[in-house]
């Protein structure tokens, strides 16, 4: 039985005046964290992480209801209803992402079996993400994140904190770490263990990995990892297309969803072939669940960007949410002969004087290349999806022009 089954559904959610903008921002942050936590729970076979996913899923259900109530109260004319319809799509899609993350977490909580090959593959696709409870004697207790300065010293980031039932998403420099906080850390495997031990006072036990012995299983695992990365990228681009009213980004979301659908078909075929050679085919059941949930996330990304694809004006409340965004995603077509043409990219950072981070490249003959997985060399005709500040984005576009 789910830890929150019955408890969450019995709690009444009454209408109360809330800022739709704030709810949208929190739903976006929650959806992104849910994806991270759910896949990490599978990677680590970690029931504590999986349980945190269900806690967040419960929180998302409440946010979704409150957002729907507020949007229904806000529609006073047909024109407003038309503008608010895409916002309802954003709300519903965030709920779908939340449900998919919950289904992924249940692979662990309901002991749905998964091949050990997943442990060998996922570390190549994501940074390590761990959960720890802040010890009362930790040197970090009572200090702000700015004072601790973890990221610059270790590369490890505190991506969220849970204090009792309160979630602190995207904690900032002034956020103070307190004893008994549940902290979620993301960073390189080489340093995250030391940070975990200093934070919790407990030794860090990294997950064991086993290489897959079956070729078709290895292909299936590689495919699901790629599907995960593309689905996460689709969600990022979908929110950006809505928040920044970019039809080009919305089209890229649709392209990604089509590609993930095609990959799921290949993934299912390889998994079924692997079952013929596996000692215990039932161990592949969790892989099927993971593929299905991953595909739902990419479908939800298209739902998020549907208003832009249908050329419906975005309600001003979304533009208010945009003003609170520190980073944006941009789409730039690289021209031959530009300063970026021929530039190497390592871990997303171009080898030029630019502060934008390249997260994906689309080439007509190769499809999507996720720069986070490997280095790349930029060339004329590439479509670059990059993340950074507005000022950096303007400079980056100049570098992409011949």
């Amino acid at each position: 039985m789910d830890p929150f089954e019955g408890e969450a559904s019995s709690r009444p959610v009454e209408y109360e005046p809330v800022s739709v903008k704030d709810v949208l921002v929190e739903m976006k942050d929650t959806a992104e964290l849910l994806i991270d936590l759910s896949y990490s729970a599978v990677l680590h076979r970690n029931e504590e992480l999986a349980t945190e996913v269900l806690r967040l899923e419960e929180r998302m259900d409440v946010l979704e209801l409150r957002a729907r109530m507020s949007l229904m109260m806000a529609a006073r004319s047909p024109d407003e209803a038309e503008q608010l319809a895409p916002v309802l799509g954003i709300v519903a899609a965030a709920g779908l992402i939340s449900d998919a993350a919950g289904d992924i977490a249940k692979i662990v909580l309901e002991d749905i079996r998964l091949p050990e090959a997943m442990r060998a593959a996922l570390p190549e696709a994501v940074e390590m993400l761990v959960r720890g409870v802040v010890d009362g004697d930790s040197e970090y207790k009572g200090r702000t994140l700015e004072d601790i300065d973890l990221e610059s010293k270790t590369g490890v980031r505190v991506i969220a904190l849970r204090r009792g039932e309160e979630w602190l998403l995207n904690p900032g420099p002034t956020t103070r770490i307190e004893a008994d906080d549940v902290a979620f850390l993301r960073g390189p495997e080489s340093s995250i263990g030391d940070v975990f031990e200093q934070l919790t006072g407990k030794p860090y036990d990294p997950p064991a990995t086993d290489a897959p012995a079956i070729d078709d299983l290895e292909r299936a695992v590689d495919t699901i990892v790629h599907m995960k990365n593309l689905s996460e990228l689709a969600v990022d681009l979908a929110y950006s297309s809505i928040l920044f009213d970019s039809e080009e980004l919305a089209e890229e979301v649709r392209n990604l969803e089509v590609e993930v659908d095609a990959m799921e078909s290949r993934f299912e075929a390889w998994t079924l072939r692997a079952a013929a050679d596996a000692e215990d085919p039932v161990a592949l059941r969790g892989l099927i669940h993971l593929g299905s949930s991953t595909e739902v996330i990419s479908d939800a990304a298209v739902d998020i960007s549907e208003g832009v694809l249908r050329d419906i004006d975005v309600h001003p409340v979304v533009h208010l949410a945009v003003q609170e965004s520190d980073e944006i995603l941009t789409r730039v077509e690289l021209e031959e002969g530009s300063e970026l043409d021929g530039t190497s990219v390592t871990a997303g950072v171009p080898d030029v004087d630019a502060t934008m981070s390249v997260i994906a490249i689309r080439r007509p003959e190769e499809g999507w290349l996720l720069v986070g997985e490997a280095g790349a060399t930029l060339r004329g005709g590439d479509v670059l999806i990059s993340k950074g500040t507005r000022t950096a984005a303007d400079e980056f576009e100049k570098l992409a022009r011949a």
Side-chain angles (χ1 to χ4, degrees):
M1 178 175 178
D2 296 345
F4 304 100
E5 188 177 338
E7 177 185 345
S9 60
S10 64
R11 294 177 182 174
V13 179
E14 297 179 357
Y15 170 75
E16 52 183 67
V18 294
S19 165
V20 176
K21 175 200 69 176
D22 291 344
V23 174
L24 288 176
V25 171
E26 187 174 353
M27 291 186 79
K28 174 182 180 294
D29 292 341
T30 300
E32 292 171 347
L33 182 58
L34 274 165
I35 295 172
D36 280 347
L37 291 184
S38 60
Y39 280 97
S40 294
V42 168
L43 165 63
H44 293 285
R45 299 289 201 282
N46 190 313
E47 292 189 7
E48 291 181 335
L49 275 180
T51 300
E52 296 292 353
V53 170
L54 297 193
R55 288 180 184 273
L56 266 181
E57 186 183 10
E58 178 189 349
R59 174 62 181 162
M60 181 71 93
D61 290 343
V62 174
L63 290 171
E64 185 177 357
L65 276 173
R66 285 181 174 160
R68 289 179 185 276
M69 291 174 184
S70 296
L71 289 169
M72 290 175 70
M73 294 290 289
R76 298 181 178 87
S77 68
D79 288 342
E80 283 190 342
E82 182 177 296
Q83 286 184 314
L84 287 171
V87 186
L88 278 170
I90 299 173
V91 170
L96 288 175
I97 293 171
S98 174
D99 292 342
D103 289 341
I104 292 171
K106 289 171 187 174
I107 294 174
V108 177
L109 293 174
E110 297 179 2
D111 199 24
I112 300 173
R113 300 171 65 184
L114 198 70
E116 288 297 321
M118 287 302 299
R119 296 192 184 208
L122 282 179
E124 299 175 3
V126 294
E127 292 179 293
M128 301 296 290
L129 192 155
V130 300
R131 169 198 182 275
V133 180
V134 179
D135 184 68
D137 295 327
S138 171
E139 64 178 270
Y140 300 144
K141 187 193 75 170
R143 297 169 60 188
T144 65
L145 294 180
E146 183 177 32
D147 179 39
I148 296 170
D149 197 20
L150 268 182
E151 188 167 359
S152 64
K153 291 179 180 178
T154 66
V156 176
R157 304 183 299 283
V158 179
I159 62 171
L161 293 167
R162 182 172 60 79
R163 190 166 294 162
E165 295 301 315
E166 179 187 5
W167 284 88
L168 305 177
L169 304 176
N170 292 329
T174 60
T175 302
R176 194 175 301 276
I177 292 180
E178 302 293 352
D180 297 325
D181 281 353
V182 178
F184 299 89
L185 309 174
R186 182 196 288 139
E189 186 176 8
S190 58
S191 55
I192 202 165
D194 290 339
V195 174
F196 177 87
E197 291 181 14
Q198 291 172 3
L199 187 79
T200 67
K202 298 179 181 179
Y204 174 64
D205 186 19
T209 59
D210 294 310
I214 304 172
D215 288 343
D216 284 323
L217 178 56
E218 184 174 6
R219 294 189 190 101
V221 169
D222 288 344
T223 301
I224 194 65
V225 169
H226 198 47
M227 286 172 62
K228 170 196 177 293
N229 290 338
L230 291 182
S231 295
E232 284 184 305
L233 175 62
V235 172
D236 276 341
L237 299 187
Y239 275 116
S240 296
S241 72
I242 281 288
L243 296 178
F244 305 107
D245 196 21
S246 169
E247 187 175 347
E248 290 179 325
L249 287 178
E251 287 293 343
E252 300 296 357
V253 173
R254 181 183 281 168
N255 291 338
L256 278 172
E257 191 271 336
V258 170
E259 187 156 350
V260 171
D261 281 352
M263 292 179 74
E264 188 189 20
S265 295
R266 297 196 296 272
F267 158 76
E268 289 176 348
W270 282 322
T271 303
L272 290 172
R273 287 174 187 163
D277 298 321
E279 291 183 7
D280 183 7
V282 177
L284 305 181
R285 181 178 167 222
L287 208 56
I288 298 290
H289 277 251
L290 196 58
S292 176
S293 297
T294 302
E295 197 270 334
V296 168
I297 292 172
S298 70
D299 288 345
V302 175
D303 293 341
I304 291 171
S305 57
E306 184 179 17
V308 176
L309 289 169
R310 295 183 181 277
D311 197 25
I312 299 175
D313 290 335
V314 180
H315 193 277
V317 70
V318 180
H319 293 292
L320 289 174
V322 172
Q323 294 172 5
E324 294 191 0
S325 178
D326 293 328
E327 288 189 322
I328 62 171
L329 286 159
T330 60
R331 176 188 184 278
V332 174
E333 185 167 350
L334 190 63
E335 296 181 5
E336 293 185 9
S338 67
E339 193 167 344
L340 289 176
D341 190 6
T343 296
S344 297
V345 178
T346 305
V349 181
D351 189 21
V352 295
D353 187 17
T355 54
M356 290 291 283
S357 174
V358 179
I359 61 175
I361 303 168
R362 183 172 179 82
R363 288 178 179 155
E365 69 277 14
E366 297 180 49
W368 283 99
L369 307 175
L370 298 182
V371 179
E373 295 179 358
T377 300
L378 305 180
R379 59 190 192 216
D382 286 349
V383 174
L384 309 180
I385 307 299
S386 309
K387 178 184 271 187
T389 64
R390 292 179 182 278
T391 301
D394 292 339
E395 294 300 318
F396 198 72
E397 288 184 9
K398 293 176 183 176
L399 293 173
R401 298 194 200 109

